[in-house]
Amino acid sequence: MADLKEDAVGLDHYGNDDFEAGLAEGKPLKRVEDLLLNMGPQHPSTHGVLRIVLDLEGETIVKATPHLGYLHRGVEKLAENSTYTQIIPLTDRLDYTSSMTNNYAFVRTVEKLLQIEIPERAEYIRTLVAEMQRLAGHLFWLGTQALDIGAMTVFFYTFREREVLLDLFELLCGARLTMSYYRVGGVDRELTQEIIDRLYAFLETFPEKVTEYNTLLETNRIWIGRTRDVAIISAEDAVNFGLTGPPLRGSGVNYDVRKAEPYGVYDKVEWEVPLGKNCDTYDRYWIRIEEMRQSASIIKQCLDRLPKGPIISDLPQIAYPPRDKIQTDMESLIHHFMIATQGFKVPEGEVYCGTEAPKGELGFYILSQGGNRPYRMRIRPPSFIHMGAFDHMAKGYMIADIVTIFGTYDIVMGECDR
Amino acid sequence: MELAAQLLVILIQIAAVMGVVLLHVAYLTYAERKVLSDMQDRLGPMEVGPHGLLQPIADGLKLFFKEDIIPAGANKIIFSASPILVLVPALIGFAVVPFGRDSLHIGDVEITPYITDINIGILYILAFSSLGAYGILLGGWASNSKYALLGGLRSAAQVISYELPLGLSLVGPILLSESLSMMTMTHAQAGGFWNWYVVKTTPIPFVIYMICAIAETNRLPFDLPEAESELVAGFFTEYSGMRFSFFFLAEYANMILVSCIGVVAFLGGWQAPFAFLEFIPPIVWFLAKVYFLLFFYIWLRATVPRLRFDQLMAFGWKIMLPLSLVMVLVISVAKYILTH
């Protein structure tokens, strides 16, 4: 740099307004380049296959450009060729850390289109299972965010509790990762007494476990140093970038789909929406921790009030008949065969329905032209929308903060790339 | 004839010390994995041998037989030389560490509990440990990878910022023992734990020493040169096989070395904490103290997150350095007043 004259014409990544004019005047040419660092898609902490191209000045980020699409599987296109029942397992693969939330978001959209009523017991089961998924998702987030910042022990502690939840899911529907438990009109299987008992036992100790994670982090000076005032986004910017979920609430905006447009039994149980003040990573951490406590309380209330009754609507054209009837009842067998082979018909129309997933608002938009398949299905994944604000939130911070920002979004590439 | 015998004894001593140190390095990795897994509610290595006891040997064999890759565009000579440049300074420091009190006499031949006791022992170790940074920096630079380069740069900056308070924290023990020799320093702390320099110089220099030692050995929370979540593996991202294992060995050998220095300078070396416990052999005391410090390292790794680079630098220059300078002043003044 020393040999370059001060009045030289600069050329950086963003171009320079008086570049042409300067050349015309015969000024010498200088070229300033930042260090270009490619992070991912193969990198230990990019949460799958995210790729970020960083423009660096020393270790400071000048520009961060996310490159997406490495995990694109064309879920939306596949959905156009699948019946509504067949789409449910496809949605499992979106946010695979809490797959049933995706099921929930999808079946709610279809139900909105069909305008059908859900039995009360099914609503309670759905809500409490969705909250169990939120716990599983947030435990996953806490472990990985802490691991990215270097606190490895928290990761093992949170996975210990997540394991208990996964065992319960296994009891509930036979799967641990891609669960496909929700059905249009209700849920697939009964919540048995064994699950209820084990869930009560889990909830008994869970608040203590959250406190245990917090003893390692909450007042840890290094943890505070790494998260406080990192990746700040103002409430206005957060709204403008379309952030939802904890990243939005971390900036103090009181928006939670569960409160704004209550579904399930969220309007029947008592709970609060934790809000942040400082708009930084620490606040978003605190919000998710608090949400775990709230979720545990919602699950407990749901279990306490669980009514008796059917778990799926009595709509033979749409909902699968109960398993035991298929073996004995001719009508049921026919209905089961028809739904399984041809699916059910959905009236013409278009609908958007947002659901509060652990990561933010997960929305499904379905355009139906009648028939048993959607004409077009569009997913609004929170992770994808959050990536739009990545550059804005990363600019001016350091390389080390990149992984903190991944973590604070709680990004899952399955959902982001669809 | 006498010279030949002396030479032979020294060679045997060197071989023995290196053997013991490398064995400790191997089993330190095992201990680390076991202690970590115990703290993290899991089992750790269990497959190779009873309770995974042969795991370090299996790991070593695996690394030995792995293909050794030199990336395209790397500077071959420096790339090959830097693992050695890191490992040798780490091992060479053990030459002046006194492991025990008494020499062993076999006929006329005297076998000392140290390889050599030079009168500038501490300076010798500090000088060589600074050399290790060259290996890291050059290895990072020669790899022709941006991650490795950033790791190397971080390491150079880190070593420079923590070398100063580390050296200054050792000034206290040097002032009190009026010697740079490790053996003299140990003898000066005889007679119970209240004579150890950790007590005599107030624990502050010891704490400074421990923090800087962790930073010097690139351990959590100061493992930025090799922060896996940011820089993949830092300066040795491109290394594989035996060259990689050299860096790995050097890191653990350095851990043991800084623990040894810490024990000699602050925890009385091989001295027993109470006079009535002196029937226990000095070497046992020495090892027990070293193991305790090593356990502390592992414990720390399980507990704390990683600092960010700017925070690390700020901590080193704004807190550690002024504090250690103040402690040098305080200890000097106190010693002057007490002796006059």
Side-chain angles (χ1 to χ4, degrees):
Chain A
M1 286 295 208
D3 56 329
L4 287 168
K5 288 177 189 161
E6 277 303 306
D7 63 338
V9 176
L11 181 62
D12 55 26
H13 291 303
Y14 315 108
N16 202 319
D17 289 339
D18 51 23
F19 175 60
E20 294 291 333
L23 272 189
E25 283 169 29
K27 285 184 179 171
L29 189 70
K30 78 170 173 184
R31 190 178 169 84
V32 183
E33 253 191 67
D34 300 327
L35 175 68
L36 205 65
L37 187 73
N38 179 50
M39 217 169 171
Q42 283 121 344
H43 186 280
S45 60
T46 52
H47 291 232
V49 283
L50 174 59
R51 178 178 167 219
I52 304 270
V53 177
L54 297 170
D55 287 10
L56 298 173
E57 222 178 77
E59 290 221 13
T60 312
I61 298 156
V62 180
K63 190 167 185 256
T65 320
H67 289 235
L68 307 176
Y70 288 91
L71 204 63
H72 180 65
R73 292 144 304 169
V75 173
E76 289 170 3
K77 190 72 191 166
L78 283 171
E80 291 171 17
N81 293 305
S82 315
T83 64
Y84 289 98
T85 323
Q86 284 170 337
I87 296 171
I88 296 174
L90 284 181
T91 63
D92 275 339
R93 275 86 179 157
L94 293 173
D95 170 11
Y96 38 74
T97 60
S98 50
S99 59
M100 282 198 275
T101 321
N102 312 328
N103 299 159
Y104 197 11
F106 174 71
V107 297
R108 277 192 59 226
T109 314
V110 180
E111 282 158 8
K112 202 169 168 185
L113 206 53
L114 287 165
Q115 294 186 318
I116 54 173
E117 285 289 311
I118 315 300
E120 206 188 359
R121 184 177 172 85
E123 286 283 35
Y124 270 93
I125 294 177
R126 281 179 172 206
T127 306
L128 83 88
V129 171
E131 289 310 307
M132 280 164 79
Q133 285 281 287
R134 192 178 313 279
L135 284 185
H138 279 357
L139 285 172
F140 192 94
W141 156 80
L142 180 61
T144 48
Q145 164 120 58
L147 189 66
D148 281 348
I149 296 182
M152 66 190 296
T153 304
V154 181
F155 178 76
F156 292 98
Y157 287 178
T158 60
F159 268 58
R160 183 184 58 198
E161 268 70 67
R162 194 169 189 269
E163 193 65 24
V164 178
L165 284 172
L166 291 189
D167 284 344
L168 287 174
F169 293 140
E170 202 178 352
L171 267 178
L172 188 65
C173 59
R176 291 163 62 86
L177 185 68
T178 51
M179 292 169 252
S180 302
Y181 174 65
Y182 289 71
R183 293 287 178 273
V184 176
V187 290
D188 181 39
R189 290 194 206 177
E190 183 58 82
L191 190 74
T192 58
Q193 191 58 41
E194 188 193 355
I195 300 172
I196 293 172
D197 293 343
R198 281 170 69 168
L199 200 52
Y200 267 125
F202 172 76
L203 291 172
E204 195 105 312
T205 55
F206 186 69
E208 287 165 32
K209 306 282 186 187
V210 176
T211 313
E212 187 186 358
Y213 315 140
N214 265 354
T215 53
L216 280 168
L217 299 174
E218 200 171 17
T219 52
N220 187 325
R221 287 196 69 90
I222 300 177
W223 177 262
I224 292 172
R226 285 300 305 275
T227 55
R228 201 32 102 217
D229 296 332
V230 170
I232 293 180
I233 185 158
S234 68
E236 196 190 344
D237 284 338
V239 172
N240 287 343
F241 274 110
L243 302 190
T244 45
L248 179 69
R249 294 194 285 274
S251 298
V253 182
N254 191 349
Y255 176 73
D256 188 318
V257 185
R258 293 173 292 173
K259 279 275 192 223
E261 304 165 42
Y263 54 91
V265 293
Y266 285 113
D267 49 351
K268 290 177 192 158
V269 291
E270 278 168 30
W271 60 286
E272 280 163 23
V273 181
L275 292 177
K277 277 198 293 254
N278 301 316
C279 320
D280 58 8
T281 306
Y282 186 84
D283 275 20
R284 292 186 279 267
Y285 148 78
W286 179 83
I287 280 176
R288 288 196 174 98
I289 292 282
E290 198 54 36
E291 277 190 5
M292 285 203 264
R293 297 205 172 106
Q294 294 292 337
S295 290
S297 138
I298 294 174
I299 297 171
K300 201 158 193 317
Q301 292 177 50
C302 286
L303 283 177
D304 289 342
R305 300 178 191 176
L306 197 64
K308 294 223 173 332
I311 55 163
I312 195 156
S313 309
D314 186 21
L315 295 166
Q317 306 288 336
I318 292 167
Y320 280 111
R323 263 149 211 282
D324 49 327
K325 280 207 175 157
I326 300 172
Q327 308 289 329
T328 53
D329 184 33
M330 179 72 175
E331 291 271 294
S332 299
L333 183 64
I334 293 171
H335 284 308
H336 184 270
F337 179 76
M338 293 303 281
I339 297 171
T341 53
Q342 294 179 8
F344 50 82
K345 295 237 172 359
V346 170
E348 243 176 81
E350 57 182 309
V351 69
Y352 172 83
C353 178
T355 302
E356 187 73 23
K359 285 154 185 66
E361 179 179 336
L362 175 65
F364 276 85
Y365 164 82
I366 292 176
L367 176 59
S368 164
Q369 296 195 327
N372 57 357
R373 297 179 166 87
Y375 177 75
R376 174 81 171 92
M377 185 177 91
R378 163 89 182 132
I379 305 163
R380 181 211 184 274
S383 295
F384 179 73
I385 308 284
H386 291 171
M387 281 321 284
F390 192 87
D391 180 48
H392 180 78
M393 285 169 81
K395 211 174 274 178
Y397 295 102
M398 310 194 85
I399 300 180
D401 294 325
I402 283 284
V403 291
T404 317
I405 300 171
F406 289 152
T408 196
Y409 281 151
D410 192 7
I411 197 161
V412 166
M413 292 317 286
E415 174 183 79
C416 194
D417 291 344
R418 305 190 294 293
Chain B
M1 189 58 211
E2 209 169 90
L3 189 72
Q6 265 183 355
L7 205 62
L8 188 72
V9 169
I10 285 176
L11 281 177
I12 291 170
Q13 270 183 322
I14 292 172
V17 169
M18 288 302 111
V20 170
V21 167
L22 288 175
L23 196 73
H24 268 84
V25 168
Y27 276 88
L28 182 59
T29 64
Y30 174 78
E32 171 160 38
R33 293 167 74 172
K34 275 295 186 191
V35 172
L36 273 184
S37 46
D38 194 50
M39 288 176 176
Q40 292 166 349
D41 257 6
R42 58 196 174 94
L43 288 172
M46 289 296 282
E47 292 300 319
V48 192
H51 285 268
L53 267 171
L54 299 175
Q55 188 67 43
I57 294 158
D59 284 345
L61 281 176
K62 184 198 77 174
L63 284 170
F64 189 76
F65 287 111
K66 273 217 161 174
E67 189 187 350
D68 193 17
I69 300 162
I70 297 180
N75 186 321
K76 273 187 193 145
I77 300 170
I78 299 181
F79 187 82
S80 322
S82 55
I84 302 165
L85 213 55
V86 172
L87 183 60
V88 169
L91 292 178
I92 221 165
F94 287 98
V96 292
V97 176
F99 300 99
R101 179 181 52 199
D102 309 309
S103 300
L104 202 64
H105 293 275
I106 302 169
D108 293 342
V109 189
E110 185 191 8
I111 298 171
T112 50
Y114 43 81
I115 294 176
T116 175
D117 180 29
I118 51 179
N119 55 7
I120 49 155
I122 290 235
L123 281 185
Y124 165 87
I125 291 178
L126 287 179
F128 270 107
S129 68
S130 319
L131 273 183
Y134 279 103
I136 293 174
L137 191 58
L138 290 174
W141 175 79
S143 299
N144 189 31
S145 154
K146 286 173 185 168
Y147 286 104
L149 181 66
L150 279 172
L153 288 175
R154 279 183 173 190
S155 172
Q158 182 170 329
V159 168
I160 291 166
S161 9
Y162 281 84
E163 193 87 4
L164 286 167
L166 181 99
L168 287 172
S169 70
L170 288 171
V171 168
I174 293 168
L175 277 174
L176 292 189
S177 65
E178 294 171 356
S179 166
L180 288 164
S181 150
M182 305 275 273
M183 202 63 186
T184 319
M185 204 175 267
T186 314
H187 277 297
Q189 300 176 63
F193 74 90
W194 50 91
N195 283 335
W196 295 358
Y197 289 146
V198 64
V199 180
K200 272 192 163 176
T201 64
T202 73
I204 297 171
F206 178 63
V207 172
I208 294 173
Y209 175 83
M210 282 306 287
I211 293 173
C212 295
I214 295 160
E216 283 270 301
T217 49
N218 298 335
R219 299 274 309 170
L220 259 171
F222 304 108
D223 65 340
L224 293 121
E226 50 196 73
E228 59 174 8
S229 58
E230 300 149 29
L231 298 180
V232 189
F235 59 89
F236 56 68
T237 305
E238 302 293 338
Y239 281 90
S240 55
M242 265 327 264
R243 284 190 232 279
F244 165 79
S245 69
F246 272 25
F247 281 117
F248 205 69
L249 286 177
E251 185 183 326
Y252 283 87
N254 264 325
M255 268 171 78
I256 300 178
L257 182 62
V258 292
S259 305
C260 287
I261 304 166
V263 166
V264 171
F266 293 101
L267 299 179
W270 38 257
Q271 307 276 5
F274 296 100
F276 67 88
L277 284 171
E278 266 168 13
F279 65 93
I280 297 170
I283 187 138
V284 174
W285 283 117
F286 185 82
L287 286 179
K289 290 170 188 172
V290 170
Y291 291 164
F292 173 74
L293 291 189
L294 289 174
F295 173 77
F296 179 75
Y297 280 130
I298 299 167
W299 188 10
L300 209 59
R301 182 173 172 196
T303 312
V304 291
R306 179 183 301 122
L307 278 168
R308 203 171 55 205
F309 191 59
D310 54 329
Q311 295 165 342
L312 173 97
M313 294 311 250
F315 186 62
W317 290 100
K318 290 183 184 163
I319 297 175
M320 301 304 275
L321 188 63
L323 191 63
S324 51
L325 280 169
V326 167
M327 283 318 293
V328 168
L329 193 71
V330 168
I331 293 166
S332 315
V333 170
K335 185 178 157 73
Y336 181 82
I337 292 168
L338 289 176
T339 46
H340 286 82

mmCIF file of all heavy atoms in Angstrom, chain A residues 78 172 207 292 319 322 348 351 414:
data_model
loop_
_atom_site.group_PDB
_atom_site.id
_atom_site.type_symbol
_atom_site.label_atom_id
_atom_site.label_comp_id
_atom_site.label_asym_id
_atom_site.label_seq_id
_atom_site.Cartn_x
_atom_site.Cartn_y
_atom_site.Cartn_z
ATOM 1 N N LEU A 78 -42.622 -31.317 -5.226
ATOM 2 C CA LEU A 78 -43.065 -32.682 -4.937
ATOM 3 C C LEU A 78 -44.504 -32.682 -4.450
ATOM 4 O O LEU A 78 -45.284 -33.577 -4.764
ATOM 5 C CB LEU A 78 -42.164 -33.318 -3.872
ATOM 6 C CG LEU A 78 -40.798 -33.807 -4.321
ATOM 7 C CD1 LEU A 78 -39.964 -34.189 -3.117
ATOM 8 C CD2 LEU A 78 -40.938 -34.989 -5.250
ATOM 9 N N LEU A 172 -45.123 -42.550 21.204
ATOM 10 C CA LEU A 172 -46.329 -41.916 20.691
ATOM 11 C C LEU A 172 -46.598 -42.349 19.259
ATOM 12 O O LEU A 172 -47.735 -42.653 18.903
ATOM 13 C CB LEU A 172 -46.141 -40.397 20.761
ATOM 14 C CG LEU A 172 -47.331 -39.517 20.449
ATOM 15 C CD1 LEU A 172 -48.412 -39.708 21.476
ATOM 16 C CD2 LEU A 172 -46.893 -38.067 20.432
ATOM 17 N N PRO A 207 -37.715 -28.123 34.909
ATOM 18 C CA PRO A 207 -37.282 -26.769 35.285
ATOM 19 C C PRO A 207 -35.918 -26.747 35.976
ATOM 20 O O PRO A 207 -35.112 -25.848 35.742
ATOM 21 C CB PRO A 207 -38.390 -26.298 36.226
ATOM 22 C CG PRO A 207 -39.577 -27.079 35.822
ATOM 23 C CD PRO A 207 -39.059 -28.415 35.412
ATOM 24 N N MET A 292 -38.810 -22.214 26.981
ATOM 25 C CA MET A 292 -38.799 -23.611 27.413
ATOM 26 C C MET A 292 -39.599 -23.757 28.697
ATOM 27 O O MET A 292 -40.378 -24.693 28.853
ATOM 28 C CB MET A 292 -37.361 -24.089 27.611
ATOM 29 C CG MET A 292 -36.636 -24.353 26.327
ATOM 30 S SD MET A 292 -35.275 -25.477 26.546
ATOM 31 C CE MET A 292 -33.929 -24.384 26.716
ATOM 32 N N ALA A 319 -60.745 -38.120 7.119
ATOM 33 C CA ALA A 319 -59.888 -38.673 8.161
ATOM 34 C C ALA A 319 -59.889 -40.196 8.090
ATOM 35 O O ALA A 319 -60.913 -40.814 7.810
ATOM 36 C CB ALA A 319 -60.366 -38.215 9.527
ATOM 37 N N PRO A 322 -60.615 -45.346 12.559
ATOM 38 C CA PRO A 322 -59.786 -45.947 13.610
ATOM 39 C C PRO A 322 -59.253 -47.316 13.167
ATOM 40 O O PRO A 322 -59.922 -48.027 12.427
ATOM 41 C CB PRO A 322 -60.749 -46.110 14.793
ATOM 42 C CG PRO A 322 -61.854 -45.177 14.508
ATOM 43 C CD PRO A 322 -61.952 -44.996 13.042
ATOM 44 N N GLU A 348 -62.017 -25.798 -4.039
ATOM 45 C CA GLU A 348 -61.223 -24.772 -4.690
ATOM 46 C C GLU A 348 -60.962 -23.617 -3.730
ATOM 47 O O GLU A 348 -61.806 -23.293 -2.905
ATOM 48 C CB GLU A 348 -61.972 -24.242 -5.907
ATOM 49 C CG GLU A 348 -61.249 -24.495 -7.212
ATOM 50 C CD GLU A 348 -62.087 -24.046 -8.387
ATOM 51 O OE1 GLU A 348 -62.076 -22.840 -8.670
ATOM 52 O OE2 GLU A 348 -62.747 -24.913 -9.002
ATOM 53 N N VAL A 351 -55.287 -20.405 0.471
ATOM 54 C CA VAL A 351 -55.253 -20.103 1.903
ATOM 55 C C VAL A 351 -53.809 -19.991 2.366
ATOM 56 O O VAL A 351 -52.925 -20.676 1.862
ATOM 57 C CB VAL A 351 -56.026 -21.185 2.695
ATOM 58 C CG1 VAL A 351 -55.284 -22.505 2.650
ATOM 59 C CG2 VAL A 351 -56.272 -20.761 4.124
ATOM 60 N N GLY A 414 -32.544 -27.739 6.290
ATOM 61 C CA GLY A 414 -33.616 -28.506 5.671
ATOM 62 C C GLY A 414 -34.823 -27.633 5.400
ATOM 63 O O GLY A 414 -35.498 -27.745 4.379
#
